Amino acid sequence: MTVKKLPTFTALPVADITVPADRLRPISEAKVTALMQVIEAGVFLGAITLRRTGTVNTLIDGAHRLEAMTRLGRETIAVDVLECSAAEARQMEITGNLTAGMTPIQDAIFLGVYQQEYEKLHPETKRGVAGALAKHGVQRACAPFAELVAETRQITSSQVRKVIRAARALTADERKRLQAVPYKIAMSEIEKLGKIGEDGLRTRAVGALLAGKTVADALRAEQAGGDGEAAPDAADDARVEAAFKALLQAWNRSPKVARRRFVEGIRAEIDGLLHGSDDE
């Protein structure tokens, strides 16, 4: 069967849409909460995709948008309705989810820019305005999205605030170049960027990330007084060796299930270390 879009359908009642029980991806509470905030703010969301067989409209893509609209009590939702086979619908569900993820640097940029735009609409929430940050700021403007990032990246809300700070300090060109690198920059590296207050040093740290190195590489080069890295002394070597042995012992003592959980929890950081320096 050839996939065919039915142009007569642009919106349908939420109650008339069937969600199949065998969907591959479960609903994320954090994502639904984030989408509810966006919808309530009046931001346009793309249409969900449905398969029509007879008079039945079955969801293909857009479960989180549909759930958010349902919880908000919205009666209708924008739709793209297709005629296609069950196999074609399943393929579209899979590809839609495979291409939906963002990298850690995109997470950070998204959150940082979102907060900036929120502050334009709500100046009273800017940092330093009579304690407004405690009442609004990240807590109000970005909380749902921060929770979503924390859930998907397995990091804390404190770390999310640090990456937001890092993203807001980046120039537009730096944002573009960091997103274009062929490897994944670890969330931990973005977090370290957010701790650098001096603009010039942060620019050099961004350059290190673009070169496949780490923020620590840039900081060591700064301490060395030039572009080269500071040579580790004997004390550094001993510290690294002791840390390595301690990690190895802990790994060897741990059961296999704990090892797997540990690796899954720091997968992004491991990826960053493999593409950068193995020094700390």
Side-chain angles (χ1 to χ4, degrees), residues 197-243:
E198 198 267 304
D199 291 343
L201 179 55
R202 184 171 51 252
T203 297
R204 289 190 285 279
V206 169
L209 292 177
L210 292 170
K213 298 181 179 180
T214 68
V215 172
D217 291 330
L219 296 177
R220 278 194 295 273
E222 181 73 11
Q223 292 170 355
D227 293 330
E229 296 181 21
D233 56 24
D236 288 331
D237 288 339
R239 178 179 61 84
V240 171
E241 183 65 19

Side-chain angles (χ1 to χ4, degrees), residues 12 20 43 94 115 137 139-140 148 175 177 183 194 204 239 251 264:
L12 283 173
V43 178
I94 292 169
Q115 190 182 44
Q139 286 78 8
R140 177 173 175 180
L148 176 57
R175 292 172 184 169
R177 293 171 67 196
Y183 46 85
R204 289 190 285 279
R239 178 179 61 84
W251 177 271
E264 290 174 350

Side-chain angles (χ1 to χ4, degrees), residues 158-171:
S158 174
Q159 288 173 300
V160 173
R161 287 193 290 272
K162 290 174 183 175
V163 300
I164 290 174
R165 184 164 63 245
R168 294 189 62 161
L170 296 173
T171 66

